[in-house]
Amino acid sequence: MSQLTTLSLSLSLSLSLSLSLSLSLSLSLSLSLSLSISLSIYLSLRWHTHSISSLEIPHPPLRSNISLPLLRMGKSKTKKQQRQARPRPPTATKRDVCAWLYSVPLEKRVRAFTVEDRHFVQLVLYMYNTKRSDGQGLFYESGLANTILANDVSDELCFVTLNVLLRDHNCSYPEQLLQRDLEFEKAVRLCDTKEFLDTLNIATQRLLDPRSILRFLEHASRGSFLSTPCRVRWEANRRKWVWEQPRWFTGMGFYSLATFVAQRLEVGLWQSFFEENSLDPRVPRTRRTFVFPSSSSHALLSKLHLTQFWRSLTTAERLKIVGNVGSMVNGVLCSLSHCSESTTATDVIFA
């Protein structure tokens, strides 16, 4: 009986040992499996990291720790800032120009309302003589300006009377507008600066009150004087700087002599305003440097000093200075009286 008990104990002990060995073996297998899985995961992660790093674009050496996407955004913002930092044309208004004109002395007003352009003066002279001979009417461009077909200034403009304008073009133009223009035309003067009849200006007495001349110009422009700034642009074909005409004048088909003079005076007024205030008169996106041309209009003021000097002299001093000039002038006037009417037509208004 004791032997059976011993045998059963040994058998149970062997079974327990075998069970523990099997558990140990399964545990070791599970550990080895987990180790293999961990090793495979580690190798997989390392391979992916290596593949991603190998595809990255090498960054240039930067002073700041900015990533590539942020660096690109910074460049686009910098370009935008550079575009905003470019010098823009000054935003001048009609009120600014009028305030400047009221504040400047008479000498600068004379210069601002002086046009030194022989071709323009010849056009004005032709328009005046045409209107004087044919009656009240309007002008319009013939389309031959700046072409080889224009042999004379008379080829650049066409004239139509108010009756013909109503009959052929079915356009009724208020004649009272032209009557008011006559008052402005009486203030226009044609004179000589460098050549014969190469300068147009306004009578000095009118410029003593700038509000008066501005009212005339406002009427001559039909209420649009100084509405938009006139700027200068470089024309490569003509190889020179050209000032823009006022926008209100470019869309006007028919215009009077006063309107034609007013648009040119507006260009000169903008030019003087830009120059006196050191503003850029060029159109946007112009790289070529613009230099304001020199003007000889200040020489026209010498007549004021001569008039004051002449009034201060006595009769004996005047005779001493003049001498025989009086007889010479009288002979010239007598010879001019025998000339044609077209030659002396400018003595009425354009003195």
Side-chain angles (χ1 to χ4, degrees), residues 21-37:
L21 287 174
S22 62
L23 290 173
S24 300
L25 182 60
S26 62
L27 183 61
S28 63
L29 290 175
S30 64
L31 287 174
S32 63
L33 182 61
S34 63
L35 287 174
S36 64
I37 293 174

Side-chain angles (χ1 to χ4, degrees), residues 68-87:
L68 185 61
L70 292 178
L71 182 62
R72 289 176 179 173
M73 291 176 62
K75 284 185 177 180
S76 62
K77 290 182 179 179
T78 303
K79 291 181 180 179
K80 184 177 181 180
Q81 292 175 357
Q82 289 178 356
R83 289 194 299 268
Q84 294 177 353
R86 292 175 182 174

Side-chain angles (χ1 to χ4, degrees), residues 132-299:
R132 187 172 181 270
S133 60
D134 298 345
Q136 287 288 359
L138 301 176
F139 297 86
Y140 60 95
E141 296 182 2
S142 63
L144 300 179
N146 300 323
T147 62
I148 59 176
L149 299 178
N151 298 322
D152 191 69
V153 291
S154 59
D155 299 331
E156 301 182 18
L157 296 176
C158 298
F159 178 76
V160 57
T161 61
L162 297 182
N163 295 331
V164 176
L165 186 67
L166 179 61
R167 183 189 63 196
D168 297 344
H169 301 276
N170 195 20
C171 179
S172 177
Y173 197 87
E175 191 172 355
Q176 59 269 21
L177 293 179
L178 300 180
Q179 295 297 329
R180 182 71 182 276
D181 288 346
L182 290 177
E183 300 180 15
F184 171 65
E185 293 175 6
K186 293 179 181 179
V188 177
R189 298 291 184 267
L190 302 184
C191 49
D192 310 334
T193 300
K194 296 179 180 179
E195 301 180 60
F196 177 70
L197 292 181
D198 64 343
T199 305
L200 180 146
N201 64 353
I202 302 298
T204 307
Q205 294 180 353
R206 289 292 185 181
L207 296 180
L208 293 175
D209 184 13
R211 290 177 175 83
S212 175
I213 192 62
L214 287 177
R215 283 194 294 268
F216 282 121
L217 293 171
E218 189 74 19
H219 174 80
S221 63
R222 308 304 181 242
S224 302
F225 192 72
L226 297 175
S227 56
T228 55
C230 299
R231 304 193 178 277
V232 64
R233 67 172 63 250
W234 173 258
E235 291 193 1
N237 297 333
R238 303 170 64 180
R239 302 290 298 174
K240 67 177 183 178
W241 291 97
V242 178
W243 284 87
E244 296 178 336
Q245 290 182 331
R247 295 182 181 177
W248 56 265
F249 183 74
T250 56
M252 189 176 294
F254 299 92
Y255 47 83
S256 63
L257 171 60
T259 302
F260 184 72
V261 175
Q263 62 88 19
R264 188 62 179 84
L265 290 176
E266 179 176 345
V267 175
L269 193 58
W270 280 112
Q271 179 179 349
S272 300
F273 174 77
F274 287 138
E275 184 178 5
E276 288 292 330
N277 294 274
S278 301
L279 300 177
D280 187 6
R282 301 173 300 174
V283 296
R285 299 179 180 86
T286 302
R287 297 181 179 180
R288 185 181 291 269
T289 305
F290 174 77
V291 179
F292 287 96
S294 59
S295 176
S296 304
S297 60
H298 60 277

